[in-house]
Amino acid sequence: MTHETKIAEPQTIKLDDIVRLPEVISLLPVRNAVLFPLAVLPLTVGREGSIKLLEDLSGVENRFLGVIAQRDPSVESPQPIDLFSVGTVALAAKQLRVKDNSIVVVTQGLRRFRVIEIVQTHPYYTARVEYLTDRMDLPDKEKVEAMRRSVESLFQQTVSLTPGLASDLVTIVLNLEDIAQLTDFVASVLPSLSVTTKQEFLETQDVWKRLEKLHFELTREIQILELKSKIQSQVQDEVGKNQREYYLREQMKAIQKELGEGEDSSQEIEDLRKAIVDAGLSEEAKAEALRELKRLAKMPQASAEYTVSRTYLDWLVSLPWQKLSESEIDLEKARAILDRDHYGLRKIKERILEYLAVLKLTPEGKAPILCFAGPPGVGKTSLGKSVADALGRKFVRLSLGGIRDEAEIRGHRRTYIGSLPGQIIQGIRRAGERNPVFMLDEIDKIGMDFRGDPASALLEVLDPQQNHSFRDHYLDVAFDLSKVLFITTANVLDTIPPALLDRMEVIHLHGYTEEEKIQIAERYLIPRQAAENGIKLEEHLKINPDALKSLIRYYTREAGLRNLEREISRICRKRARQLVEGLTTPVVIEDSGLAELLGAPKFMVDEQIDQRVSVPGVAVGLAWTPSGGDVLFVEASRMKGEKSFVITGQLGNVMQESVKAALTWVRAHALELGIDEEFYSKSDIHIHVPAGAIPKDGPSAGVTMATALVSLLTGRRVKPRLAMTGEITLTGRVLPVGGIKEKVLAAHRVGIREVILPSQNEKNVIEDLRPEVAQQLTLHFVNSVEEVIRIALDLEFRPTSSVLDREFVAKESREQQRRLSLN
């Protein structure tokens, strides 16, 4: 629905001369327009339902329709909630069908109405309405007349300052005697009023309030128009000033030339020419630089274009076109550096050493694009610095988090004032060599808006087959990035566009085990925090291994190391305060003293897990999060009712489907499990996953849901210290899931002793888990839900083949349920 903004002069219409307005009218939704009573508004109708409405009215004597505005003009098929509740009943005066099959209808506003009830929705809306009557709550006639005259005066000023408003509108306003008509007419013709503001005028029945609001809007509009006029005047004065200055500079240039004082410019051009020759530019870049230098020699130094060209040439000659790091590749030295800076990370170190070996054999080879993916705090960025040290190259880091402008990657075109190259070229210049280690941090957090898509701009940068001729918008010449070792980091891979992810070799950093964290804390974190806080180890402070293990287990359960380092820093700060206060004797931090230093433990102890699963209907699942793995409790409860199934805990669509699939499987195999086959017809089932304020989703909770339901319905408790993960099918198959290492490490952190995993994930355990972790856990690999039930509940699955068997099992199930209810 479109409309013309021009509003005709209000017509004098007496409703008594027209037939009685109907109680049920057809609604015509309009975009970006509000029709007022007694106003004429031509509308272009293109929607199928609206065209049908006008066709149905064509043969009616009194063609009334309700013109009502949309809340959001972008909605193509508005629902009743998308329409305002107040509109204007109008008379469809004329109709004209145009070439594109749309209809132009001229509407004459009659009276305000409010929608009471939608009567019909197809092919167009009809509604039962009540008609609104204007009222004047202010009895002071002198005050009303003063406000009216002020509004008329303000409207005259507005028309005089707005070129698009005809002067005849002032005459019309001055001749309107009815204040209600005056407010409606002025509100309808003011182009500065938004649809929302006009709708507020339409919905206001109190004429005095409309008059007050109109006075406010006119006052504000005049202030804006006067400010606009002032700015335009200032701009014209500034343009005249610039022209005068240019004329004076040209005169000064001629005078300097006569006096022989213009030789500095020639010397500068020659210096730039020499710099271009010595910079080692590519043939394309050299030709572009000399062409720009020729233009620069002809420009006056005082012109703005001179500065732009000079800056461009400075960027070209300052880039390391031919300079490469000449460090010798030594695998043993590189291995020592990697082992010095990082504990563990065997696969990643092997991949880096492989790259160094290939680079040593083929120096002209293309550098790969590595992506370190893992939870926060596992050392992705610091690993990039170690790679640069091992290679003997410069290290450049660029954080991509929150970048939404494509020009940040490709640069601005030189048509913009203050334009610069993108961050890639700027980083290369900062490094001073053409083959640095360039880290692109947080590549999974790139944004996109009207300024372009930075992720798409990175496609050429991170493609070894294309980045040998990367073309920055500012430089506009090819620059070779093939020797740069690009390393990207990401917490999750789902938000990275597939085309960009395809160009990178992903190396996963899954997190650290408890033993690895102890080693890292003793070797790196404690010495670093002690030095930063002025503490001398052994002389002032010592943290026992048992205290460090409790610190990791009960205060900092995470995949990475950031919170662990923060807690160690807290201990060092408290010790630093003691030293300043005079306590200089050595302090040994024991396990029992952590609560005094850091407060009560932040995470549940092992006994609390046993308490959570001490009743039937509770099972422990394993979940993957961007911060590492975590345990997830699933609780099931049953009450008297009829087939009600409630799911709570902020579960996403995928997990809700897992719950429903688990319930279906349990109902289908109730007799085999020793459960009353009619349990669902007599009960309400409630599935809840605590921590309901945290949204949860993912395809790995099916076995946990099924176990919780069977535990509830059979009255059997799940085996203590047992956790599980896996998705199920309706036939009872257990499907493989992702994030196995993170989930198993999370189970190990909270004291789980047994873990049930899909059999197809056994290869992930062999490849990713360290042997000492696997040896401390009992891992069960299953193919079916029956195996899960057998392990978790110690319950045998009894298939029933004959009718007698089924009747026997059903009777036994009912007897078991009766005993449970008595207990």
Side-chain angles (χ1 to χ4, degrees):
M1 179 73 62
T2 59
H3 69 282
E4 299 178 10
T5 57
K6 182 179 179 181
I7 307 297
E9 178 180 351
Q11 304 295 317
T12 303
I13 294 180
K14 295 182 179 180
L15 295 179
D16 297 338
D17 299 336
I18 307 175
V19 296
R20 184 173 178 270
L21 295 175
E23 294 182 358
V24 177
I25 60 174
S26 302
L27 299 183
L28 179 66
V30 295
R31 299 170 175 166
N32 297 318
V34 175
L35 176 64
F36 285 86
L38 305 182
V40 177
L41 181 64
L43 300 169
T44 302
V45 178
R47 293 174 178 152
E48 182 178 352
S50 301
I51 292 175
K52 174 65 176 173
L53 165 62
L54 295 178
E55 290 175 351
D56 292 347
L57 289 177
S58 61
V60 180
E61 180 179 356
N62 296 304
R63 296 184 292 175
F64 297 116
L65 53 84
V67 179
I68 192 165
Q70 292 183 205
R71 298 180 185 273
D72 184 359
S74 64
V75 177
E76 185 60 33
S77 300
Q79 301 299 314
I81 196 173
D82 297 323
L83 304 177
F84 288 101
S85 60
V86 175
T88 302
V89 64
L91 185 65
K94 296 180 181 179
Q95 295 184 24
L96 177 64
R97 188 175 292 273
V98 293
K99 292 182 180 180
D100 59 352
N101 203 31
S102 59
I103 297 177
V104 176
V105 57
V106 178
T107 57
Q108 170 76 60
L110 299 178
R111 189 171 179 181
R112 290 173 169 83
F113 70 85
R114 178 180 287 109
V115 175
I116 301 301
E117 177 186 6
I118 298 295
V119 177
Q120 173 185 304
T121 61
H122 186 78
Y124 48 82
Y125 292 118
T126 61
R128 181 173 291 104
V129 300
E130 66 172 348
Y131 294 98
L132 306 179
T133 304
D134 291 332
R135 66 176 188 273
M136 177 72 76
D137 294 341
L138 187 70
D140 191 346
K141 294 183 179 179
E142 289 77 13
K143 189 172 183 179
V144 173
E145 182 61 24
M147 181 67 76
R148 172 198 178 111
R149 293 183 182 181
S150 180
V151 166
E152 291 174 348
S153 175
L154 291 172
F155 183 72
Q156 290 182 31
Q157 296 180 51
T158 303
V159 171
S160 64
L161 293 172
T162 306
L165 292 179
S167 58
D168 295 338
L169 297 176
V170 177
T171 305
I172 297 174
V173 168
L174 295 177
N175 290 331
L176 289 174
E177 298 179 358
D178 191 327
I179 298 179
Q181 291 186 16
L182 170 69
T183 57
D184 287 346
F185 179 74
V186 175
S188 66
V189 299
L190 274 181
S192 60
L193 295 184
S194 64
V195 173
T196 304
T197 305
K198 290 185 177 182
Q199 183 67 30
E200 291 176 1
F201 273 102
L202 188 66
E203 294 177 1
T204 304
Q205 294 178 251
D206 188 348
V207 179
W208 169 252
K209 290 183 178 179
R210 294 212 301 262
L211 199 60
E212 277 187 319
K213 184 171 180 59
L214 187 60
H215 186 276
F216 170 80
E217 293 293 341
L218 285 170
T219 303
R220 186 172 66 90
E221 179 64 10
I222 289 173
Q223 292 175 349
I224 294 173
L225 291 172
E226 289 177 347
L227 181 59
K228 178 182 176 183
S229 178
K230 181 180 179 181
I231 292 173
Q232 289 178 343
S233 177
Q234 290 176 349
V235 169
Q236 291 176 354
D237 293 340
E238 188 67 25
V239 170
K241 179 182 177 182
N242 290 340
Q243 291 176 343
R244 179 174 174 272
E245 289 177 354
Y246 175 77
Y247 177 76
L248 292 175
R249 287 194 184 99
E250 288 297 317
Q251 285 185 326
M252 185 182 297
K253 181 179 176 181
I255 294 171
Q256 289 176 344
K257 185 176 181 180
E258 291 295 329
L259 296 174
E261 297 177 354
E263 297 177 359
D264 291 342
S265 176
S266 300
Q267 184 61 42
E268 184 179 17
I269 296 297
E270 289 303 318
D271 291 343
L272 280 173
R273 189 184 306 277
K274 185 176 183 301
I276 291 171
V277 173
D278 297 339
L281 280 69
S282 65
E283 292 299 325
E284 179 190 11
K286 186 175 181 180
E288 179 65 21
L290 293 175
R291 186 185 68 83
E292 192 68 23
L293 183 65
K294 187 177 180 180
R295 290 182 62 244
L296 185 69
K298 299 177 181 179
M299 295 181 191
Q301 287 186 340
S303 68
E305 187 69 19
Y306 184 91
T307 304
V308 172
S309 294
R310 174 60 195 268
T311 304
Y312 173 70
L313 291 172
D314 286 341
W315 271 101
L316 281 179
V317 300
S318 63
L319 288 175
W321 293 89
Q322 303 297 333
K323 186 176 180 181
L324 296 172
S325 175
E326 300 298 336
S327 59
E328 184 69 23
I329 295 176
D330 186 341
L331 291 185
E332 291 303 321
K333 178 183 177 182
R335 187 193 305 275
I337 292 174
L338 293 174
D339 291 337
R340 179 199 67 192
D341 296 341
H342 292 273
Y343 179 82
L345 305 178
R346 176 179 54 85
K347 286 187 176 181
I348 298 172
K349 293 177 181 178
E350 289 179 358
R351 178 64 186 89
I352 294 169
L353 293 174
E354 290 170 2
Y355 165 71
L356 295 179
V358 173
L359 185 62
K360 188 168 186 176
L361 295 176
T362 58
E364 299 301 322
K366 299 181 183 299
I369 312 298
L370 304 179
C371 177
F372 294 157
V378 295
K380 299 184 293 295
T381 303
S382 59
L383 186 61
K385 296 179 181 178
S386 299
V387 172
D389 289 342
L391 288 171
R393 299 186 187 180
K394 296 290 184 64
F395 178 75
V396 182
R397 177 182 170 273
L398 171 62
S399 179
L400 298 176
I403 285 183
R404 297 176 178 274
D405 191 351
E406 179 186 345
E408 292 290 334
I409 306 299
R410 283 194 171 275
H412 299 83
R413 300 189 184 278
R414 278 179 288 154
T415 53
Y416 297 100
I417 296 176
S419 57
L420 286 172
Q423 291 295 329
I424 302 298
I425 295 298
Q426 291 188 39
I428 297 295
R429 190 179 78 161
R430 286 194 300 270
E433 59 186 40
R434 193 162 57 87
N435 59 341
V437 175
F438 204 124
M439 172 157 282
L440 300 173
D441 246 341
E442 311 293 352
I443 198 171
D444 57 327
K445 298 175 179 62
I446 298 178
M448 180 179 65
D449 61 12
F450 64 93
R451 292 167 291 187
D453 182 5
S456 298
L458 282 173
L459 292 177
E460 183 183 0
V461 175
L462 300 181
D463 191 338
Q465 305 301 323
Q466 299 181 30
N467 62 9
H468 64 277
S469 58
F470 173 69
R471 192 173 292 271
D472 185 274
H473 285 161
Y474 180 83
L475 298 182
D476 201 25
V477 293
F479 189 87
D480 187 2
L481 299 177
S482 62
K483 299 299 181 182
V484 180
L485 176 57
F486 285 104
I487 299 177
T488 66
T489 68
N491 296 133
V492 294
L493 301 178
D494 298 342
T495 56
I496 303 176
L500 183 58
L501 185 63
D502 181 63
R503 285 161 167 78
M504 300 183 290
E505 178 183 345
V506 179
I507 300 177
H508 292 277
L509 284 77
H510 296 286
Y512 298 101
T513 64
E514 188 175 279
E515 289 74 16
E516 289 174 329
K517 288 183 177 181
I518 292 174
Q519 294 293 329
I520 293 171
E522 290 178 343
R523 298 186 186 190
Y524 307 104
L525 304 184
I526 295 177
R528 180 164 64 217
Q529 287 302 318
E532 290 181 1
N533 290 278
I535 304 296
K536 296 180 180 179
L537 295 178
E538 301 299 335
E539 182 180 342
H540 295 154
L541 176 69
K542 181 180 180 182
I543 302 177
N544 279 349
D546 291 339
L548 189 57
K549 182 179 293 186
S550 297
L551 177 64
I552 294 169
R553 182 172 295 178
Y554 302 127
Y555 289 87
T556 63
R557 283 182 182 167
E558 56 175 341
L561 301 164
R562 285 186 182 147
N563 287 327
L564 175 59
E565 187 166 9
R566 291 189 186 103
E567 297 300 330
I568 293 173
S569 177
R570 287 180 62 189
I571 294 175
C572 292
R573 291 197 303 271
K574 292 180 182 297
R575 180 63 185 121
R577 178 181 174 183
Q578 292 175 351
L579 286 174
V580 174
E581 292 175 348
L583 182 60
T584 58
T585 57
V587 173
V588 179
I589 306 298
E590 301 286 352
D591 185 8
S592 57
L594 284 178
E596 182 179 352
L597 290 171
L598 304 177
K602 298 179 181 179
F603 300 97
M604 68 176 68
V605 295
D606 302 343
E607 292 75 10
Q608 291 177 318
I609 297 180
D610 296 338
Q611 293 173 6
R612 295 286 294 271
V613 297
S614 61
V615 295
V618 181
V620 182
L622 297 174
W624 178 93
T625 71
S627 300
D630 200 359
V631 295
L632 202 66
F633 291 92
V634 176
E635 300 178 351
S637 184
R638 177 185 181 186
M639 64 226 70
K640 188 176 181 180
E642 294 183 359
K643 297 184 178 181
S644 175
F645 189 48
V646 181
I647 304 172
T648 56
Q650 285 289 327
L651 303 187
N653 294 332
V654 177
M655 287 190 71
Q656 291 188 33
E657 291 179 359
S658 298
V659 177
K660 295 173 183 177
L663 177 64
T664 300
W665 184 87
V666 173
R667 291 181 62 191
H669 299 84
L671 293 182
E672 290 88 339
L673 295 168
I675 302 170
D676 183 5
E677 197 173 22
E678 302 297 327
F679 77 90
Y680 192 53
S681 61
K682 300 179 291 184
S683 304
D684 290 345
I685 304 294
H686 187 165
I687 295 289
H688 178 62
V689 181
I694 303 173
K696 313 168 189 72
D697 204 2
S700 61
V703 294
T704 314
M705 302 295 181
T707 303
L709 286 171
V710 175
S711 171
L712 170 71
L713 297 172
T714 59
R716 291 174 175 266
R717 291 180 295 178
V718 176
K719 185 185 295 186
R721 305 289 181 89
L722 171 72
M724 62 194 72
T725 184
E727 190 53 281
I728 66 172
T729 66
L730 291 179
T731 58
R733 301 295 300 172
V734 177
L735 303 179
V737 294
I740 292 298
K741 181 178 180 181
E742 290 88 345
K743 294 176 180 177
V744 174
L745 290 180
H748 181 261
R749 284 198 299 268
V750 300
I752 296 294
R753 295 171 185 165
E754 298 181 56
V755 179
I756 297 177
L757 300 171
S759 61
Q760 296 181 49
N761 286 122
E762 185 173 1
K763 61 181 182 299
N764 301 107
V765 173
I766 297 173
E767 293 176 358
D768 298 333
L769 280 183
R770 294 175 65 90
E772 60 268 20
V773 176
Q775 291 170 4
Q776 295 177 21
L777 295 171
T778 301
L779 303 178
H780 303 278
F781 298 98
V782 299
N783 289 301
S784 63
V785 185
E786 291 89 338
E787 297 178 60
V788 177
I789 300 301
R790 187 182 303 113
I791 296 169
L793 300 174
D794 194 19
L795 177 65
E796 289 296 330
F797 191 79
R798 298 176 295 180
T800 56
S801 56
S802 66
V803 176
L804 293 177
D805 289 341
R806 294 177 63 85
E807 291 179 352
F808 173 76
V809 173
K811 182 178 179 182
E812 186 179 359
S813 300
R814 287 193 293 271
E815 181 63 23
Q816 182 181 5
Q817 295 296 326
R818 187 184 68 81
R819 290 197 299 270
L820 288 173
S821 63
L822 291 175
N823 291 334

Short mmCIF file of all heavy atoms in Angstrom, two decimals, residues 5 96 129 242 287 304 309 373-374 408 434 465 504 524 608 719 790:
data_model
loop_
_atom_site.label_atom_id
_atom_site.label_comp_id
_atom_site.label_asym_id
_atom_site.label_seq_id
_atom_site.Cartn_x
_atom_site.Cartn_y
_atom_site.Cartn_z
N THR A 5 1.55 12.08 -0.44
CA THR A 5 1.61 12.87 0.78
C THR A 5 0.76 14.14 0.71
O THR A 5 0.47 14.75 1.71
CB THR A 5 3.07 13.27 1.07
OG1 THR A 5 3.58 13.99 -0.06
CG2 THR A 5 3.92 12.05 1.30
N LEU A 96 -9.67 4.30 -9.67
CA LEU A 96 -9.09 4.26 -11.00
C LEU A 96 -8.04 3.15 -11.04
O LEU A 96 -7.10 3.14 -10.25
CB LEU A 96 -8.43 5.61 -11.34
CG LEU A 96 -7.70 5.67 -12.70
CD1 LEU A 96 -8.70 5.49 -13.85
CD2 LEU A 96 -6.94 6.99 -12.85
N VAL A 129 -16.72 -1.91 15.23
CA VAL A 129 -16.04 -0.72 15.71
C VAL A 129 -16.98 0.14 16.54
O VAL A 129 -18.21 -0.02 16.49
CB VAL A 129 -15.50 0.13 14.53
CG1 VAL A 129 -14.52 -0.68 13.70
CG2 VAL A 129 -16.64 0.66 13.65
N ASN A 242 36.84 30.05 1.39
CA ASN A 242 37.81 29.14 0.78
C ASN A 242 38.25 29.62 -0.60
O ASN A 242 39.43 29.52 -0.98
CB ASN A 242 37.21 27.75 0.67
CG ASN A 242 37.06 27.07 2.03
OD1 ASN A 242 37.72 27.48 2.99
ND2 ASN A 242 36.18 26.09 2.11
N ALA A 287 54.91 1.73 -11.25
CA ALA A 287 54.29 2.54 -12.30
C ALA A 287 53.22 3.46 -11.71
O ALA A 287 53.11 4.63 -12.08
CB ALA A 287 53.69 1.62 -13.36
N ALA A 304 44.31 20.74 -0.95
CA ALA A 304 44.01 19.53 -0.16
C ALA A 304 44.44 18.28 -0.92
O ALA A 304 44.86 17.29 -0.31
CB ALA A 304 42.51 19.49 0.16
N SER A 309 47.73 12.98 -2.08
CA SER A 309 48.69 12.28 -2.94
C SER A 309 50.00 12.01 -2.21
O SER A 309 50.60 10.93 -2.35
CB SER A 309 48.95 13.09 -4.21
OG SER A 309 47.80 13.18 -5.00
N ALA A 373 41.01 -23.16 17.52
CA ALA A 373 39.63 -23.10 18.01
C ALA A 373 39.55 -23.75 19.37
O ALA A 373 40.04 -24.87 19.56
CB ALA A 373 38.68 -23.80 17.03
N GLY A 374 38.94 -23.06 20.31
CA GLY A 374 38.80 -23.62 21.64
C GLY A 374 38.18 -22.64 22.60
O GLY A 374 37.96 -21.47 22.28
N GLU A 408 37.77 -1.86 7.20
CA GLU A 408 38.78 -2.20 8.18
C GLU A 408 39.72 -3.28 7.65
O GLU A 408 40.85 -3.41 8.10
CB GLU A 408 38.13 -2.68 9.48
CG GLU A 408 37.37 -1.60 10.23
CD GLU A 408 38.30 -0.58 10.85
OE1 GLU A 408 39.46 -0.93 11.12
OE2 GLU A 408 37.89 0.57 11.04
N ARG A 434 57.77 -8.71 5.18
CA ARG A 434 56.65 -9.23 4.39
C ARG A 434 56.19 -10.62 4.83
O ARG A 434 55.21 -11.13 4.31
CB ARG A 434 57.06 -9.27 2.90
CG ARG A 434 55.93 -9.50 1.94
CD ARG A 434 56.30 -9.09 0.53
NE ARG A 434 57.47 -9.78 0.03
CZ ARG A 434 57.44 -10.98 -0.59
NH1 ARG A 434 56.29 -11.60 -0.75
NH2 ARG A 434 58.55 -11.52 -1.03
N GLN A 465 45.79 -19.48 -2.36
CA GLN A 465 45.80 -19.45 -3.82
C GLN A 465 45.52 -18.06 -4.39
O GLN A 465 45.67 -17.85 -5.59
CB GLN A 465 44.74 -20.44 -4.36
CG GLN A 465 44.90 -21.86 -3.85
CD GLN A 465 46.25 -22.45 -4.21
OE1 GLN A 465 46.78 -22.19 -5.30
NE2 GLN A 465 46.84 -23.23 -3.31
N MET A 504 40.65 -22.39 6.04
CA MET A 504 41.52 -22.50 7.20
C MET A 504 41.66 -23.95 7.65
O MET A 504 40.73 -24.75 7.50
CB MET A 504 40.97 -21.65 8.35
CG MET A 504 40.86 -20.17 8.04
SD MET A 504 40.28 -19.18 9.42
CE MET A 504 38.57 -19.70 9.53
N TYR A 524 54.12 -21.77 35.35
CA TYR A 524 53.92 -20.47 34.70
C TYR A 524 53.12 -19.48 35.56
O TYR A 524 53.56 -18.35 35.78
CB TYR A 524 53.21 -20.65 33.35
CG TYR A 524 53.87 -21.63 32.43
CD1 TYR A 524 53.35 -22.90 32.24
CD2 TYR A 524 55.04 -21.29 31.75
CE1 TYR A 524 53.96 -23.81 31.38
CE2 TYR A 524 55.66 -22.19 30.89
CZ TYR A 524 55.11 -23.45 30.72
OH TYR A 524 55.73 -24.34 29.88
N GLN A 608 27.71 -33.45 47.02
CA GLN A 608 26.50 -32.80 46.54
C GLN A 608 25.97 -33.46 45.28
O GLN A 608 24.76 -33.52 45.06
CB GLN A 608 26.79 -31.32 46.28
CG GLN A 608 27.03 -30.53 47.56
CD GLN A 608 27.38 -29.09 47.27
OE1 GLN A 608 28.15 -28.80 46.37
NE2 GLN A 608 26.82 -28.17 48.06
N LYS A 719 22.75 -44.97 39.00
CA LYS A 719 24.01 -45.32 39.67
C LYS A 719 24.77 -44.04 40.06
O LYS A 719 24.90 -43.12 39.24
CB LYS A 719 24.86 -46.18 38.74
CG LYS A 719 26.15 -46.69 39.39
CD LYS A 719 27.00 -47.43 38.38
CE LYS A 719 26.30 -48.70 37.90
NZ LYS A 719 27.21 -49.48 37.01
N ARG A 790 20.55 -50.63 31.24
CA ARG A 790 21.17 -51.73 31.98
C ARG A 790 22.34 -51.23 32.83
O ARG A 790 22.50 -51.63 33.98
CB ARG A 790 21.66 -52.81 31.00
CG ARG A 790 22.18 -54.07 31.69
CD ARG A 790 22.69 -55.09 30.68
NE ARG A 790 21.64 -55.44 29.72
CZ ARG A 790 21.70 -55.14 28.43
NH1 ARG A 790 22.76 -54.49 27.95
NH2 ARG A 790 20.72 -55.48 27.64
#
